[in-house]
mmCIF file with all atom_site columns, all heavy atoms in Angstrom:
data_model
loop_
_atom_site.group_PDB
_atom_site.id
_atom_site.type_symbol
_atom_site.label_atom_id
_atom_site.label_alt_id
_atom_site.label_comp_id
_atom_site.label_asym_id
_atom_site.label_entity_id
_atom_site.label_seq_id
_atom_site.pdbx_PDB_ins_code
_atom_site.Cartn_x
_atom_site.Cartn_y
_atom_site.Cartn_z
_atom_site.occupancy
_atom_site.B_iso_or_equiv
_atom_site.pdbx_formal_charge
_atom_site.auth_seq_id
_atom_site.auth_comp_id
_atom_site.auth_asym_id
_atom_site.auth_atom_id
_atom_site.pdbx_PDB_model_num
ATOM 1  N N   . GLN A 1 6   ? 3.254   5.997  -2.919  1.00 83.00 ? 6   GLN A N   1
ATOM 2  C CA  . GLN A 1 6   ? 4.417   6.677  -3.447  1.00 83.00 ? 6   GLN A CA  1
ATOM 3  C C   . GLN A 1 6   ? 4.281   6.873  -4.963  1.00 83.00 ? 6   GLN A C   1
ATOM 4  O O   . GLN A 1 6   ? 4.603   7.943  -5.493  1.00 83.00 ? 6   GLN A O   1
ATOM 5  C CB  . GLN A 1 6   ? 5.691   5.840  -3.174  1.00 83.00 ? 6   GLN A CB  1
ATOM 6  C CG  . GLN A 1 6   ? 6.215   5.989  -1.747  1.00 83.00 ? 6   GLN A CG  1
ATOM 7  C CD  . GLN A 1 6   ? 7.549   5.300  -1.566  1.00 83.00 ? 6   GLN A CD  1
ATOM 8  O OE1 . GLN A 1 6   ? 7.721   4.162  -1.999  1.00 83.00 ? 6   GLN A OE1 1
ATOM 9  N NE2 . GLN A 1 6   ? 8.470   5.977  -0.907  1.00 83.00 ? 6   GLN A NE2 1
ATOM 10 N N   . HIS A 1 49  ? -17.943 37.213 -45.385 1.00 90.00 ? 49  HIS A N   1
ATOM 11 C CA  . HIS A 1 49  ? -18.239 35.963 -46.051 1.00 90.00 ? 49  HIS A CA  1
ATOM 12 C C   . HIS A 1 49  ? -17.938 34.833 -45.077 1.00 90.00 ? 49  HIS A C   1
ATOM 13 O O   . HIS A 1 49  ? -16.878 34.807 -44.414 1.00 90.00 ? 49  HIS A O   1
ATOM 14 C CB  . HIS A 1 49  ? -17.358 35.814 -47.298 1.00 90.00 ? 49  HIS A CB  1
ATOM 15 C CG  . HIS A 1 49  ? -17.699 34.589 -48.130 1.00 90.00 ? 49  HIS A CG  1
ATOM 16 N ND1 . HIS A 1 49  ? -17.285 33.331 -47.822 1.00 90.00 ? 49  HIS A ND1 1
ATOM 17 C CD2 . HIS A 1 49  ? -18.512 34.522 -49.201 1.00 90.00 ? 49  HIS A CD2 1
ATOM 18 C CE1 . HIS A 1 49  ? -17.760 32.497 -48.732 1.00 90.00 ? 49  HIS A CE1 1
ATOM 19 N NE2 . HIS A 1 49  ? -18.522 33.174 -49.573 1.00 90.00 ? 49  HIS A NE2 1
ATOM 20 N N   . GLY A 1 119 ? -1.595  16.493 -35.050 1.00 95.00 ? 119 GLY A N   1
ATOM 21 C CA  . GLY A 1 119 ? -2.906  15.811 -34.904 1.00 95.00 ? 119 GLY A CA  1
ATOM 22 C C   . GLY A 1 119 ? -3.865  16.616 -34.031 1.00 95.00 ? 119 GLY A C   1
ATOM 23 O O   . GLY A 1 119 ? -5.079  16.672 -34.271 1.00 95.00 ? 119 GLY A O   1
ATOM 24 N N   . ALA A 1 129 ? -14.106 24.791 -37.378 1.00 97.00 ? 129 ALA A N   1
ATOM 25 C CA  . ALA A 1 129 ? -14.588 25.334 -38.644 1.00 97.00 ? 129 ALA A CA  1
ATOM 26 C C   . ALA A 1 129 ? -16.000 24.831 -38.965 1.00 97.00 ? 129 ALA A C   1
ATOM 27 O O   . ALA A 1 129 ? -16.836 25.614 -39.447 1.00 97.00 ? 129 ALA A O   1
ATOM 28 C CB  . ALA A 1 129 ? -13.630 24.947 -39.775 1.00 97.00 ? 129 ALA A CB  1
#
Side-chain angles (χ1 to χ4, degrees):
Q6 282 187 314
H49 188 278

